[in-house]
């Protein structure tokens, strides 16, 4: 099989440090923290009372009020980022074959806020079921990919990937593979998450996964720092338009970057803990390098997972060291979660945008709050 080349021609971002790619870029390289006290609900009795929230966002410029009520915020965020990506790509939808233009979207939690709202309202009532008729359509994990397809009239491959924190990495990888295998010419791909609500914060608190540095939220996400105590919840969306190279050239598109390899694996070790030797990450990185046909020494920068958890950060660095050997001292590594927090299923897409920006800027976004390296 002849593998086709795949390029990125559009990007969109809605993040805790910027509601567009440009504002995200500016704050990303300036090392701005997106963390602050939670405003979405009263968190005064929670162990963690802060998060990296999206700020100043209204869905109404993108979707009218009546339509917005039929969607969870996880879909609102996706639409905002996708509109920006589609706009940057400059695609004339009337001039492309939309049966070969697909959507692969990702989320880890789906319509989490809607589930919390509807179940809480029922529990506080008299027992009579008064559920919103759009309760199920708002909460289906794959509803956002369908909404995006309808928004742009895209009839190609359409599905949702759910693989926890790697969900949108999986979505991008699937889109990449379908294009190079000749199954599609274009994809709108990425991920969104909207889990900053009582259930989200309370649930991750119960797992002891979140930082409790309530006295100084801006410094709470500190990947690789010896004093890290858990991740900071983030929310938002990242979107990319992936396109077959010749297709992009024919229509005169601006090519932002090229995707040349991908890898996926599993620790097969524990429900939540990572394998202490990083077997899964090592396998995935080796697969990606082999798929791309490049040597470890050709990698300049790794945007790490780096969530700021005590065990995960160390394990990831072990895996990188084992794959890249002495070259680890010659390349750059950073965790942009130190600024955005952890966007769960949307993390990979936002970090893909950050990685493309690193290439375009020829600059590396920092790991902020790294005061005492572990």
């Amino acid at each position: 099989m002849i593998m086709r080349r795949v390029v990125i021609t559009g990007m969109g971002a809605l993040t805790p440090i910027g509601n567009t790619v440009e504002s995200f870029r500016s704050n990303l390289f300036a090392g701005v923290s997106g963390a602050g006290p939670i405003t979405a609900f009263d968190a005064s009795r929670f162990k963690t009372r802060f998060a990296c929230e999206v700020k100043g966002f209204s869905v109404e410029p993108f979707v009218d009020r009546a339509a917005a009520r039929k969607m969870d915020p996880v879909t609102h965020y996706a639409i905002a980022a996708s509109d920006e990506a589609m706009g940057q790509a400059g695609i004339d939808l009337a001039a492309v074959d939309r049966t070969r233009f697909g959507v692969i979207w990702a989320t880890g939690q789906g319509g989490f806020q809607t589930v919390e709202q509807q179940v809480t309202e029922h529990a506080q009532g008299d027992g009579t079921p008064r559920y919103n008729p759009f309760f199920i359509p708002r909460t289906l994990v794959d509803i956002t990919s369908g909404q995006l397809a309808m928004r742009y009239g895209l009839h190609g491959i359409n599905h949702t990937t759910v693989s926890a924190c790697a969900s949108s990495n999986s979505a991008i990888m699937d889109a990449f593979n379908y294009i190079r295998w000749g199954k599609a010419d274009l994809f709108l791909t990425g991920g969104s998450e909207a889990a900053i609500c009582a259930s989200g914060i309370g649930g991750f608190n119960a797992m002891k996964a979140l930082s409790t540095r309530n006295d100084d939220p801006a410094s709470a996400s500190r990947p690789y720092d010896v004093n890290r105590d858990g991740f900071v919840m983030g929310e938002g969306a990242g979107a990319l338009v992936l396109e077959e190279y010749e297709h992009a050239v024919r229509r005169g598109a601006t090519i932002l970057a090229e995707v040349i390899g991908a890898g996926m694996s599993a620790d097969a070790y524990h429900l939540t803990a990572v394998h202490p030797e990083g077997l899964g990450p090592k396998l995935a990185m080796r697969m990606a390098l082999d798929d791309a046909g490049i040597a470890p020494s050709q990698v300049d920068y790794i945007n790490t997972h780096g969530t700021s958890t005590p065990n995960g950060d160390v394990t990831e660095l072990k895996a990188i060291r084992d794959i890249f050997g002495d070259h680890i001292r010659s390349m750059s590594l950073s965790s942009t979660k130190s600024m955005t927090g952890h966007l769960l299923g949307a993390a990979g897409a936002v970090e893909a945008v950050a990685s493309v920006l690193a290439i375009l800027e020829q600059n590396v976004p920092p790991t902020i709050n790294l005061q005492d390296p572990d």
Side-chain angles (χ1 to χ4, degrees):
M1 179 188 295
I2 298 175
M3 294 291 192
R4 306 194 307 168
R5 294 174 66 186
V6 181
V7 296
I8 298 169
T9 55
M11 299 193 300
L14 176 67
T15 79
I17 60 170
N19 293 1
T20 64
V21 169
E22 177 52 33
S23 59
F24 174 59
R25 181 202 64 78
S26 177
N27 289 322
L28 185 74
F29 290 104
V32 173
S33 171
I38 291 172
T39 64
F41 67 96
D42 179 6
S44 60
R45 298 177 67 181
F46 285 70
K47 291 179 181 177
T48 297
R49 299 187 289 277
F50 62 92
C52 286
E53 294 177 303
V54 168
K55 301 161 187 69
F57 173 73
S58 172
V59 71
E60 289 187 21
F62 304 94
V63 180
D64 67 63
R65 188 175 301 179
R69 285 198 295 266
K70 300 174 183 177
M71 305 173 190
D72 185 87
V74 73
T75 302
H76 297 167
Y77 293 168
I79 288 171
S82 296
D83 273 10
E84 184 180 21
M86 293 287 282
Q88 184 181 41
I91 299 168
D92 179 357
L93 290 172
V96 299
D97 183 353
R98 284 180 287 169
T99 67
R100 293 183 58 82
F101 195 156
V103 181
I104 302 179
W105 201 253
T107 182
Q109 305 295 134
F112 209 41
Q113 292 188 33
T114 296
V115 172
E116 177 182 280
Q117 175 204 17
Q118 294 286 291
V119 173
T120 299
E121 287 180 0
H122 174 68
Q124 293 175 345
D126 62 4
T128 303
R130 296 186 178 90
Y131 287 91
N132 188 300
F134 291 96
F135 173 44
I136 298 302
R138 285 176 64 173
T139 57
L140 289 173
V141 175
D142 67 341
I143 197 65
T144 300
S145 61
Q147 290 280 11
L148 293 172
M150 291 188 292
R151 184 173 183 82
Y152 309 114
L154 308 181
H155 300 282
I157 295 165
N158 186 293
H159 67 255
T160 292
T161 57
V162 181
S163 50
C165 308
S167 295
S168 49
N169 301 73
S170 302
I172 295 167
M173 179 177 177
D174 282 1
F176 165 61
N177 280 329
Y178 279 127
I179 292 173
R180 65 175 177 166
W181 294 337
K183 305 296 184 182
D185 297 324
L186 301 110
F187 269 101
L188 173 61
T189 187
S192 55
E193 205 73 89
I196 299 178
C197 56
S199 301
I201 298 298
F204 280 103
N205 264 160
M207 290 174 61
K208 303 185 187 304
L210 297 181
S211 170
T212 56
R213 197 181 291 266
N214 294 299
D215 58 335
D216 188 10
S219 72
S221 184
R222 45 180 57 229
Y224 311 114
D225 189 274
V226 72
N227 294 310
R228 65 195 182 279
D229 69 329
F231 75 80
V232 178
M233 182 81 81
E235 64 177 356
L240 301 100
V241 174
L242 267 57
E243 187 167 356
E244 192 271 324
Y245 172 74
E246 296 293 346
H247 189 281
V249 169
R250 282 196 301 272
R251 68 179 188 87
T254 298
I255 293 172
L256 305 174
E258 182 172 4
V259 186
I260 62 170
M264 183 185 294
S265 65
D267 272 343
Y269 173 70
H270 186 272
L271 185 64
T272 56
V274 294
H275 189 284
E277 297 304 317
L279 295 183
K282 283 194 285 190
L283 181 57
M285 286 187 282
R286 172 53 60 194
M287 286 178 174
L289 289 166
D290 290 347
D291 191 37
I294 62 173
S297 60
Q298 292 175 267
V299 176
D300 295 321
Y301 169 59
I302 297 177
N303 185 298
T304 65
H305 188 53
T307 59
S308 187
T309 55
N311 294 327
D313 290 2
V314 172
T315 299
E316 183 180 16
L317 287 182
K318 282 182 181 179
I320 294 171
R321 182 194 61 200
D322 287 353
I323 293 296
F324 291 90
D326 290 340
H327 180 58
I328 194 172
R329 303 186 183 280
S330 303
M331 62 185 184
S332 298
L333 296 85
S334 70
S335 170
T336 49
K337 287 186 179 73
S338 61
M339 294 172 277
T340 66
H342 190 355
L343 275 75
L344 307 180
V350 170
E351 288 155 21
V353 172
S355 298
V356 173
L357 290 173
I359 294 170
L360 297 175
E361 296 284 317
Q362 287 295 286
N363 194 6
V364 174
T367 303
I368 66 170
N369 302 322
L370 182 52
Q371 299 165 352
D372 189 2
D374 187 344

